[in-house]
Amino acid sequence: MDWWGRVKATATVALLAAALQHEARRWRLWGSVGRIPGPLALPLVGTGWLAIVIRPEGLMALLKNIKERHGMIFRMWYGNLAEIHIIQAENIEKVLTSYELITKSVHYKFLKPWLGEGLLTSTGSKWQRRRKMLTPAFHFKILENFVGVFAEKAQVLVQKLRNNADGHEFDIYPSIALCSLDIICETAMGTCVNAQNDATSEYVSATCTVAELTMKRALRPWLYPDFIFRMTPSGRQYYKCLNTVHQFSKQVIKERRQQREHSPNKERALVQDETGVKSRVAFLDLLLDMSMNGENLDDADIQEEVDTFMFEGHDTTAAAMSWAIFLLGHHPDIQQKAFEELNEIFQDSDRLPTMQDLQNMKYLEMVIKEALRLYPSVPFIGRFNSKDSECGGHKLPEGVMLVLHLYESHRDPRYWPDPERFDPDRFLPDSKQGRHPFAYVPFSGGPRSCIGQRFALLEEKAILSSILRNYVIESVESRENVKAAPELILRPIDGIKVKLNAR
Ligand code: HEM
């Protein structure tokens, strides 16, 4: 046999070996996963046919129906990919508290073109090192420094909403999303993009498009392979906008670094806004401090983390606030109680809130928590099962994906009687007694819990309190009519239609 023949024979044997290994793995998975109950799985596509026949607005109802038929642990198949859905708090705890199960599921892969391997998507020692390094960035003192940003941006929002405060019906979601984008740009990058006043700016619309197309892709498993996604119009648009987003954050980091190098006496760079120049620390400053103080962080590493904050800190809070507004708009009594608490805090003054004010908003905090129970911004958490394990009496083989179903687990009647009822009093200290600690995990739990949860609660309080102090909210659509799409973020498919009246 000549050398070319030997190359071909070796390549054929290698390919056959790989195919056999692949098949063996598939059979091994089918063997164990097949014993777990779940809907009809067809050859090749598995239960993926459901994603094709069910529209996004029907997915939550479908998953509820599967739970009712197959129980609190069920399996789904997408081709070769097995997912085990886990709903009970006791089993969710097992996964979230494990230091071995910290690798995210494949579903997070399509976030990587945007976020690289930042805190959300990384694993192993890289994640551990970054988590340790970034935890101080969310210290109380740092968050206190952001309260002014929250309050100012909320004030812009209140002014913008004035055009709609004559009782006519409109979708409040876009206004909330632009406000939270303004907040995260300023707190993460120290940049004022003025999204609320200029939603058409290239960076603002590119960020919104990247987030939207990432969500769309999450619901379409056939778009997961990158080479297919790149060939579609959505894929081409995604990469074009992604380039704009990355160029922007890259430029901000570069300029901020240069600014510091030219003014070494100033510890922090300055944040510029329309009222002049103010000294304010952004997460980016803290990262630059760390890199200048010997941490192993180059500009590309910093960009991963800044982009991660931009993603995690924008849509999650926008969705959470919009759902809270929706629920308040359905419950005038609860809305009134929240308003009375604000009256007590602010008396007749129209001053902006301080950190202490935000901390005093105890009832509003219960409202926010209850809204996050019914509509958790992150409805599913995915993990890669990195070793054979056992859960709820089922064997879970290594290599399957674990999907923790927060939306359903937050409705477990064992811990939440009359689960669909919106009742902030469930979060009174007495009512919490005896409840499983993992029955409510909108910010996840264990080692990979949300690093930004205190930031998020403060931001929500600042925005919601500003709206409540100025307007009475009335929701237009019924609870049943507003459908949530279980994308990466639990988003109301047709927005949140409200009527506002000035107080
Ligand atoms: C209501 C708002 C928010 C909700 C409901 C929320 C929820 C979550 C959840 C459930 C996770 C775990 C995800 C997973 O394991 O797959 C997470 C992780 C994370 N969140 Fe949030 N989040 C919110 C706001 C924020 C904000 C404002 C920031 C930053 C400014 C942030 C930064 C992060 C980061 C960096 C991670 C990854 C942490 C790690 O893996 O170590 N989040 N968040």
Side-chain angles (χ1 to χ4, degrees):
M1 198 187 291
D2 63 3
W3 70 271
W4 179 234
R6 279 200 298 276
V7 169
K8 281 201 289 188
T10 315
T12 311
V13 170
L15 271 176
L16 272 174
L20 278 173
Q21 207 181 11
H22 183 260
E23 274 308 286
R25 184 177 164 274
R26 200 161 88 94
W27 279 105
R28 195 175 82 86
L29 283 185
W30 270 103
S32 336
V33 176
R35 281 192 280 275
I36 300 175
L40 173 71
L42 299 174
L44 290 177
V45 290
T47 51
W49 61 274
L50 286 166
I52 298 166
V53 298
I54 303 285
R55 294 172 61 81
E57 57 267 36
L59 272 176
M60 273 331 204
L62 171 78
L63 290 169
K64 181 171 182 240
N65 187 276
I66 296 175
K67 175 201 82 176
E68 278 158 9
R69 292 184 61 178
H70 300 284
M72 301 293 261
I73 295 189
F74 60 84
R75 55 104 189 105
M76 302 290 272
W77 279 106
Y78 298 101
N80 214 2
L81 180 81
E83 277 182 6
I84 313 298
H85 289 239
I86 298 174
I87 297 170
Q88 273 165 324
E90 297 74 4
N91 296 326
I92 287 183
E93 178 179 20
K94 263 189 173 177
V95 177
L96 289 183
T97 52
S98 162
Y99 272 82
E100 281 170 322
L101 299 177
I102 59 161
T103 302
K104 299 293 170 79
S105 61
V106 289
H107 310 92
Y108 296 68
K109 250 190 186 163
F110 45 82
L111 279 171
K112 287 198 178 172
W114 182 9
L115 311 184
E117 288 209 335
L119 195 59
L120 179 71
T121 45
S122 58
T123 188
S125 57
K126 177 169 180 178
W127 167 76
Q128 244 165 355
R129 197 173 62 81
R130 291 273 173 98
R131 178 85 191 197
K132 200 168 155 213
M133 194 170 75
L134 291 171
T135 298
F138 289 86
H139 187 272
F140 180 87
K141 277 274 157 223
I142 308 281
L143 296 181
E144 197 166 22
N145 159 71
F146 293 148
V147 170
V149 180
F150 301 159
E152 278 168 27
K153 303 301 172 195
Q155 211 179 18
V156 177
L157 174 68
V158 164
Q159 267 155 23
K160 292 259 142 203
L161 289 176
R162 217 163 284 288
N163 300 333
N164 289 303
D166 57 1
H168 76 264
E169 177 185 320
F170 74 104
D171 176 11
I172 200 168
Y173 195 95
S175 310
I176 302 288
L178 290 175
C179 180
S180 80
L181 182 59
D182 263 348
I183 288 177
I184 199 65
C185 278
E186 194 145 331
T187 51
M189 297 192 283
T191 312
C192 181
V193 293
N194 224 347
Q196 297 190 82
N197 285 315
D198 184 11
T200 56
S201 101
E202 201 188 357
Y203 173 72
V204 171
S205 66
T207 303
C208 296
T209 307
V210 169
E212 200 181 300
L213 292 176
T214 306
M215 308 291 179
K216 270 195 180 161
R217 192 180 180 187
L219 280 184
R220 293 164 178 77
W222 57 92
L223 293 180
Y224 287 7
D226 212 45
F227 73 96
I228 294 181
F229 185 54
R230 277 180 189 274
M231 285 190 292
T232 64
S234 296
R236 285 195 292 274
Q237 193 190 9
Y238 172 86
Y239 279 104
K240 187 167 167 264
C241 293
L242 188 61
N243 187 41
T244 306
V245 171
H246 278 160
Q247 285 309 324
F248 184 86
S249 46
K250 199 182 264 175
Q251 187 63 19
V252 170
I253 296 168
K254 195 172 144 205
E255 283 172 10
R256 201 81 163 179
R257 207 186 260 288
Q258 281 170 355
Q259 216 178 344
R260 291 164 153 253
E261 278 159 10
H262 291 130
S263 49
N265 293 334
K266 291 193 186 115
E267 261 278 274
R268 317 282 192 201
L270 298 175
V271 175
Q272 187 122 20
D273 72 5
E274 59 272 29
T275 61
V277 178
K278 291 182 182 172
S279 183
R280 209 177 251 161
V281 185
F283 285 125
L284 171 56
D285 291 307
L286 302 167
L287 293 167
L288 288 168
D289 277 352
M290 291 171 195
S291 89
M292 287 167 148
N293 293 335
E295 282 288 354
N296 187 10
L297 267 184
D298 62 19
D299 281 6
D301 298 326
I302 292 179
Q303 188 173 351
E304 281 178 344
E305 298 307 344
V306 168
D307 289 338
T308 296
F309 289 155
M310 289 297 302
F311 165 71
E312 265 293 328
H314 162 214
D315 271 332
T316 46
T317 46
M321 291 189 276
S322 302
W323 288 115
I325 289 172
F326 173 62
L327 291 165
L328 283 167
H330 271 296
H331 294 270
D333 48 337
I334 295 174
Q335 192 177 154
Q336 180 61 23
K337 208 168 158 185
F339 176 66
E340 278 162 18
E341 177 184 71
L342 297 173
N343 255 348
E344 256 174 53
I345 296 172
F346 294 98
Q347 308 288 332
D348 286 333
S349 159
D350 60 357
R351 66 182 172 79
L352 299 184
T354 61
M355 182 65 144
Q356 187 56 54
D357 294 329
L358 298 182
Q359 284 176 315
N360 290 342
M361 296 176 189
K362 304 278 183 228
Y363 187 69
L364 186 57
E365 181 162 325
M366 284 163 38
V367 167
I368 292 170
K369 286 184 170 165
E370 174 68 344
L372 274 170
R373 178 184 73 81
L374 285 168
Y375 298 105
S377 310
V378 180
F380 309 107
I381 294 176
R383 289 283 195 278
F384 175 73
N385 193 36
S386 52
K387 58 165 193 156
D388 289 343
S389 56
E390 189 273 336
C391 191
H394 296 287
K395 285 203 170 89
L396 308 183
E398 181 201 333
V400 296
M401 303 301 145
L402 307 176
V403 178
L404 312 181
H405 232 307
L406 307 193
Y407 185 89
E408 281 301 329
S409 109
H410 285 182
R411 286 167 163 74
D412 185 337
R414 290 178 304 154
Y415 301 115
W416 310 102
D418 192 4
E420 288 298 336
R421 188 164 51 90
F422 176 59
D423 178 9
D425 287 352
R426 296 182 201 265
F427 290 90
L428 281 168
D430 283 352
S431 318
K432 282 195 264 181
Q433 274 168 18
R435 193 180 293 151
H436 193 284
F438 283 75
Y440 178 73
V441 279
F443 294 104
S444 186
R448 295 213 72 160
S449 64
C450 176
I451 202 169
Q453 57 184 292
R454 285 196 300 165
F455 176 110
L457 281 179
L458 290 170
E459 175 182 341
E460 277 207 58
K461 282 184 186 175
I463 307 284
L464 293 175
S465 64
S466 302
I467 296 176
L468 286 172
R469 285 167 73 192
N470 286 279
Y471 305 112
V472 179
I473 309 161
E474 188 190 328
S475 289
V476 175
E477 300 285 359
S478 67
R479 289 268 305 271
E480 298 68 41
N481 277 351
V482 171
K483 298 279 181 261
E487 299 168 346
L488 287 172
I489 304 298
L490 191 71
R491 202 197 288 261
I493 290 189
D494 295 316
I496 296 289
K497 302 210 177 64
V498 293
K499 292 178 183 173
L500 290 187
N501 279 298
R503 285 198 187 269

